Every structure is written in structure tokens, then in C-alpha cells.
Amino acid sequence: MNSRRKPLSSPHPLGAALLLAGLVATAPARAGEVEVLHWWTSGGEARAAQALKATLQAKGHTWKDFAVAGGGGDSAMTVLKSRVVSGNAPAAAQIKGPSLQDWAAEGVLAPMEELARAEHWDDILPKAVAAQMKYQGKYIAVPVNVHRVNWLWANPEVFKRAGAKLPTNWDEFFVAADALQKAGVIPVAHGGQNWQDLTLFESVALGLGGADFYAKALVKLDPDTLKGPLMEKVLTTFKRIKPYTDKNSPGRDWNLATAMVIKGQAGMQFMGDWAKGEFIAAGGQPGKTFVCLPAPGSAASFSYNIDSFAMFKLKNAANSQAQKDLASAILSPEFQQLFNLAKGSIPVRLGVAMDKFDDCAKTSATDFNAAAKAGTLLPSIAHGMAVPTPAEGAIKDVISQFWNSDKMTVKDAQAKLVAAARTR
């Protein structure tokens, strides 16, 4: 099955929104070209990428699309490394989390501090977000949005037919899953890819263990926490979900799993709020044709995934100016609203009006701002935000092996997690 879904070809208010936002063409003295590497290839994501492209073109520059399919971005990073090593880096690349600092340390990124100071990025970004965009105290990337990862998506009509209740804790989840299964519906739509397995796992960890446990286990990688009794409970609950998925799950892309919920083939999906872009692209309405709620037990927590772009050093002056114009446009209030309405995420810039956003986004924004003020925002380990890439990859492998193995015990998995956490 083709996992790359084409951008919508039907008329969409994107063009009107661009005009209303006042993003008219203001061609610079010398127009440049920006080749942009990203992995936004599904329906809702493609719409969001189109918004970014249109914004750059409105400034008179040329956008050269370099899309690499794969929701977790692993394939894109492999391609990026080969391009940089060969001396042919793209102008801009979607990079995030600790990987940003790794690239900056290589000396291949273009400095963004001058632009950041001129446009007061320290004042318009949450401190936790700004810190991740810096290397040695200076900006080396621009954030685009904020995704909440610990979401559960559900089809309310399917739940109604099955006589099931939307779950708020894990006991209720398993009651609902049994009811859906009895009604002949796949309870959980899941894509059997390692990043999706880890996405589900981190929601279980957050829901059962809370913010402090999550931070110790999956951000600080504390060995005592990884081999402790609460992690044992998390792993046991995680594996208990497996029978509620279908046999065709292995290798399925995330957006195809979302489509199962949209079509009523499945009742639920654990996925970040980029899934909402798929529901919206299919004509869905929040609270009516689909429901968003925090993953069981995690309502008081916020695990985040932030898309960001790093700019690579270029020799062409016009292209370098195009890079700066792209970064400036990304953090404009108009673009922040336009892009995130299409992507399903929320603005990363503080103070953007939320009146045009749906209830899922408003809830997400309220919880994000509260967590930012309280200093309790939690970076997603499954989405490259929490730990160095080698450790993240090793942990992904352990969780997927445990999910797919009938022989690996919980104690075995805990021992392997402790070893994986040491990977550097």
C-alpha cells in the first residue's frame, strides 16, 4: 500500500487565508532559492507544508521541496547526513531536539542569533523551547509549532455502537477495548513501526507514572527508575494493549492507522496531534466525528514534540537572505496561525490568538502554557526531543522487541532498557 498520501487537490481556504493574513509578495532585491528537507508527506502535513511554501514564495523567493516520507523522520535524517557529508547540504532541514546541538557542534549550521535578537525571540518563545533552539547560548534553529504527543483519538460513533465509554484511566481503557472487540471493531489502530511503539509506550508511562516518573525514566534515564517496580507495571500494561491491535499492524504508517479510526474500522489511536490534521483533511469535526482526549491518566501532563528548522551554511548571498526571510516568516503571528490550523498543532509563539482554533487545540494551548509556567513541560522521547539520538534509537529497539516478542519477559526488557540508556 502506498504510504505517501498526495496533498489535497480540491479548493481549500489556504489561499484566502494567505491573502487575509496580509502575506503579499514583497520581493527582495535579489530573490533566492531555499531547498527545504522535511518529512511532511501525509494529507494534513502536506497542507501545512504548502502553507510554509506559499509564505516563502510571497516574499519573492523560490521553494525547492525535498520531502522524505516517514513519519518519525528517521529516513530524512539518513538522507540529510549523506547530503552534508557530500558537501551538498539543503538550505533548510527539519531537525529537532538534542540533534540540533549535534549538528551545531559540527559547525555546519548558519548562525541565527542576529535575526533572533532583532525579532526578540527570547520574548516570544517559552524558555524551555528557546533553550532547545540554542547552542552555546545562541540560536541555531527556529521552532515552527508545538505538538502534544500524549493524545488518544477516538471515533465516538464506534464507541456509541459498542456501548463503550471514552476512557480517562487505564482500567477504563481496557473495559472500553473489550467492548469494542466484542462489537467486532479493532479497539486500537496502531502502526507497527518502532517510533509508533515508543509513542504508545511513553503515553502509558506518563499515564501510569506521572510527570516525575517520566522525567526520571525517559529524560534523565535513571537506571534505578528503569529497573524499578513502577516501570515493571508500565511495561506490563503496555504489552497488555497488543491483543487489541490487528494482525496487519506491522509496518503500517501512522496516517493509515488514523484512517482506520476515521472510517470506523477501529475505535482508538494513540498519536500526537498531527493526527488531527488527518481527521480535518477528511472533513472531520472535533467533538462530533472524532474526539481528542489525553491518553489515559495523563490529563495533567504534557509531552511535547516541536518541529524546528535549522539552516545550513550557504555561499550564495541571495539564498542566505532567503533563509533568513524563511526563519522570520515562520515566527510571524500570521504564519503561526495559518500553519498550525493546517497541521493540527498549536503555535509555538506566545500570544497568538486562538479564536480560530478548535477545542482540541485550545485545550492543548491552555495545558501547554500552564506547563510552561510551572516548568513541567516534558520532551517526547519517541520524537527526538528528550535524549541523544543513540540512546533514543537503542530504547526504541528494546520497546519494539518487547512489543513483538512472545518470549521477552518484563524483567528482560527492564535490563535491556538500562543497557540502552547507556548508549552514546
Side-chain angles (χ1 to χ4, degrees):
M1 186 176 291
N2 184 1
S3 63
R4 292 191 63 177
R5 297 167 67 179
K6 296 179 180 179
L8 301 180
S9 57
S10 57
H12 188 268
L14 173 61
L18 280 168
L19 292 175
L20 290 172
L23 298 174
V24 294
T26 53
R30 290 185 62 194
E33 177 184 86
V34 175
E35 183 182 20
V36 183
L37 182 150
H38 63 90
W39 55 88
W40 293 328
T41 56
S42 73
E45 292 179 321
R47 260 176 40 199
Q50 178 63 28
L52 187 56
K53 176 181 178 180
T55 300
L56 183 69
Q57 289 175 329
K59 290 180 172 289
H61 299 299
T62 301
W63 168 287
K64 184 178 180 181
D65 201 60
F66 184 13
V68 180
D74 293 340
S75 298
M77 289 302 96
T78 300
V79 174
L80 178 61
K81 288 175 184 175
S82 66
R83 286 282 301 268
V84 174
V85 168
S86 66
N88 184 31
Q94 187 180 351
I95 307 174
K96 57 188 180 179
S99 292
L100 285 168
Q101 283 70 43
D102 293 340
W103 282 106
E106 294 294 325
V108 293
L109 299 185
M112 304 181 73
E113 183 66 16
E114 183 178 345
L115 176 65
R117 287 183 179 178
E119 300 193 347
H120 310 288
W121 289 7
D122 277 345
D123 298 326
I124 62 175
L125 295 174
K127 289 183 179 179
V129 175
Q132 284 203 312
M133 299 300 120
K134 295 180 180 180
Y135 175 69
Q136 295 181 343
K138 296 183 178 181
Y139 281 95
I140 43 87
V142 56
V144 186
N145 59 351
V146 177
H147 281 294
R148 188 178 196 173
V149 176
N150 59 310
W151 279 119
L152 176 67
W153 305 90
N155 185 316
E157 181 58 33
V158 170
F159 267 74
K160 183 179 179 180
R161 291 202 307 265
K165 174 188 172 184
L166 294 169
T168 60
N169 58 51
W170 285 104
D171 288 338
E172 292 177 356
F173 167 82
F174 288 111
V175 171
D178 284 335
L180 291 167
Q181 202 165 55
K182 188 176 180 180
V185 177
I186 299 166
V188 179
H190 183 67
Q193 298 172 338
N194 63 3
W195 71 269
Q196 294 190 64
D197 296 339
L198 191 55
T199 297
L200 172 56
F201 176 78
E202 76 171 53
S203 282
V204 177
L206 195 54
L208 284 176
D212 288 343
F213 167 79
Y214 180 96
K216 288 179 182 177
L218 301 180
V219 180
K220 298 177 183 177
L221 302 179
D222 175 62
D224 290 336
T225 305
L226 290 172
K227 61 186 179 185
L230 190 46
M231 180 56 78
E232 182 178 355
K233 182 179 180 181
V234 168
L235 284 163
T236 300
T237 303
F238 170 68
K239 192 62 175 285
R240 190 180 163 193
I241 299 169
K242 181 77 181 292
Y244 296 105
T245 64
D246 67 301
K247 62 181 175 61
N248 295 320
S249 172
R252 178 186 290 138
D253 284 338
W254 70 270
N255 54 306
L256 300 182
T258 306
M260 293 169 64
V261 180
I262 293 172
K263 296 174 183 176
Q265 298 168 348
M268 299 175 277
Q269 181 190 20
F270 292 89
M271 190 52 60
D273 52 18
W274 48 92
K276 187 178 67 176
E278 300 299 297
F279 284 100
I280 299 298
Q285 293 181 295
K288 294 182 179 180
T289 59
F290 71 93
V291 176
C292 60
L293 60 161
S298 71
S301 302
F302 195 110
S303 62
Y304 67 83
N305 175 25
I306 295 175
D307 289 313
S308 53
F309 281 95
M311 310 296 172
F312 284 80
K313 290 180 178 178
L314 301 175
K315 295 180 180 179
N316 182 288
N319 291 349
S320 294
Q321 183 59 50
Q323 282 181 323
K324 294 176 183 177
D325 287 345
L326 175 64
S328 179
I330 283 172
L331 280 180
S332 69
E334 298 86 359
F335 175 77
Q336 283 284 303
Q337 183 180 85
L338 176 65
F339 178 88
N340 288 291
L341 283 169
K343 186 71 159 62
S345 45
I346 59 173
V348 68
R349 177 177 175 141
L350 297 171
V352 175
M354 295 295 294
D355 53 300
K356 292 184 180 179
F357 287 81
D358 57 58
D359 289 344
C360 294
K362 289 176 181 175
T363 297
S364 185
T366 297
D367 293 348
F368 176 77
N369 289 330
K373 290 178 181 177
T376 56
L377 289 173
L378 297 165
S380 167
I381 185 172
H383 296 276
M385 302 302 299
V387 300
T389 301
E392 177 196 328
I395 290 170
K396 275 181 185 173
D397 289 343
V398 171
I399 294 303
S400 278
Q401 289 167 13
F402 178 65
W403 176 259
N404 291 301
S405 173
D406 293 328
K407 297 181 179 179
M408 187 186 297
T409 67
V410 170
K411 288 297 184 183
D412 288 340
Q414 287 183 278
K416 289 179 178 292
L417 282 176
V418 172
R422 299 193 192 104
T423 306
R424 293 292 183 268

